[in-house]
């Protein structure tokens, strides 16, 4: 390690330690606080599926880890070049969702990807450490190409976004990346790049990461489809109004064979019960309700009434906080700017180390 690197490393350790002592953060064997990084493509408002799958956990992680949360606007452009306005608008919308569910900008660093040029810089180098064939084999990219109907007209930026995601993760030396199962290939590819880079550099400049996949599986849509998703139109958004929640609960898919109240009902694939399992905190009452439903004699309308009460109660404070922050978008942008600036310092430090290891340090 050069003197300059050593100095930078010492400085990084000092500031990390100061940070760690102020909280109860998990320290890695290396002595650094464990860093978590997650990201979202800002292409639409977040919904209950995001809440169950990730937001709820992020609110917990922020006490324990040094957490970075990325608004991946550049990545969103890889398949939204025709609608840059949508991505722009949704940056603040998704940030409002974060704040509304309790992500605390004093504990978590929320950043905007496009405002950290070092991420693009790292991507550019990493692209030389991955082959086109390997990118084409990435199962997530492959599935998304089909989904988006790109066929042979795949934007190069889209095909190569795994290298950009490797930059996102490695720039912050994140060792833990909480993601859905669909993102595991991204983590694998990130680690391939990290290992290859460290081998080239002959030392561990970059940090390998682990995917942290939530135990609770995906939340189905209100229509019973396996996935809650904006494009399927089957979501309940975190910012939903009371009336929107009422209307959505009415449409929630239950048991199509449960025609009469007296009939025994089925729980499997019954979205009302899946949501109650996810959100109802009164587990004893819920178990009783399930038993009654399967025995027969409990109508869907009673189940839905309970579901509506649970969702209204859960989402009312979220909506209130969201509306409060939405009154002052300038303040929200200020929070994003501060987070982004803090994050940029870290990314710039890594980019500097990477360039030095590649022989790209001249002055
Ligand atoms: N690809 C992720 C998604 O579509 C978003 C993302 C961008 C991300 N950069 C990231 C996730 C870094 C984890 C880490 O949801």
């Amino acid at each position: 390690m050069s003197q300059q690197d050593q100095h930078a490393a010492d400085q990084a350790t000092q500031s990390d330690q100061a940070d760690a002592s102020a909280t109860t953060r998990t320290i890695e064997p290396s002595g650094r606080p464990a860093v978590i990084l997650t990201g979202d493509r800002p292409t639409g408002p977040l919904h209950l599926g995001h809440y169950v799958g990730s937001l709820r956990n992020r609110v917990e992680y922020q006490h324990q880890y040094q957490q970075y949360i990325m608004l991946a606007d550049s990545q969103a452009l890889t398949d939204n070049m025709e609608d840059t306005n949508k991505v722009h608008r949704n940056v603040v919308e998704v940030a409002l969702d974060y704040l509304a569910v309790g992500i605390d900008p004093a504990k978590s660093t929320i950043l905007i990807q496009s405002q950290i040029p070092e991420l693009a810089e790292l991507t550019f180098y990493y692209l030389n450490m991955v082959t086109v064939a390997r990118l084409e084999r990435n199962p997530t990219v492959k599935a998304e190409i089909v989904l988006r109907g790109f066929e042979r007209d795949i934007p190069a930026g889209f095909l190569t976004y795994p290298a950009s995601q490797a930059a996102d993760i490695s720039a912050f030396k994140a060792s833990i990346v909480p993601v859905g199962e669909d993102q595991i290939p991204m983590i694998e590819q990130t680690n391939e790049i990290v290992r290859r880079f460290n081998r080239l550099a002959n030392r561990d400049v970059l940090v390998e990461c682990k995917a942290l996949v939530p135990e609770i599986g995906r939340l189905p849509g209100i229509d019973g489809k396996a996935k809650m998703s904006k494009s399927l139109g089957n979501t309940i958004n975190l910012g939903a109004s009371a009336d929107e929640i009422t209307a959505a609960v009415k449409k929630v898919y239950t048991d199509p064979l449960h025609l009469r109240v007296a009939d025994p009902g089925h729980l499997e694939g019954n979205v009302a019960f899946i949501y109650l399992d996810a959100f109802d905190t009164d587990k004893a009452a819920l178990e009783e309700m399930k038993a009654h439903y399967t025995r027969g004699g409990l109508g869907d309308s009673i189940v839905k009434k309970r579901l509506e009460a649970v969702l209204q109660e859960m989402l009312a404070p979220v909506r209130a906080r969201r509306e409060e922050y939405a009154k002052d978008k300038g303040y929200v942008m200020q929070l994003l700017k501060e987070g982004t600036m803090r994050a940029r310092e870290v990314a710039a430090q890594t980019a500097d180390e990477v360039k030095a290891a590649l022989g790209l340090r001249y002055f």
Side-chain angles (χ1 to χ4, degrees), residues 37-41 58 70-72 75 113 140 144 148 161 164-166 168-169 177-180 182-183 186-187:
L37 179 125
T38 50
D40 298 289
R41 296 183 188 186
R58 293 181 197 177
M70 176 179 297
L71 290 156
Q75 188 182 107
Q113 183 186 29
T140 307
E144 287 176 335
R148 287 161 180 67
Y161 92 74
S164 149
Q165 195 152 326
D168 299 342
I169 295 167
V177 186
V179 283
D182 62 304
Q183 291 288 306
M186 295 296 159
I187 306 302

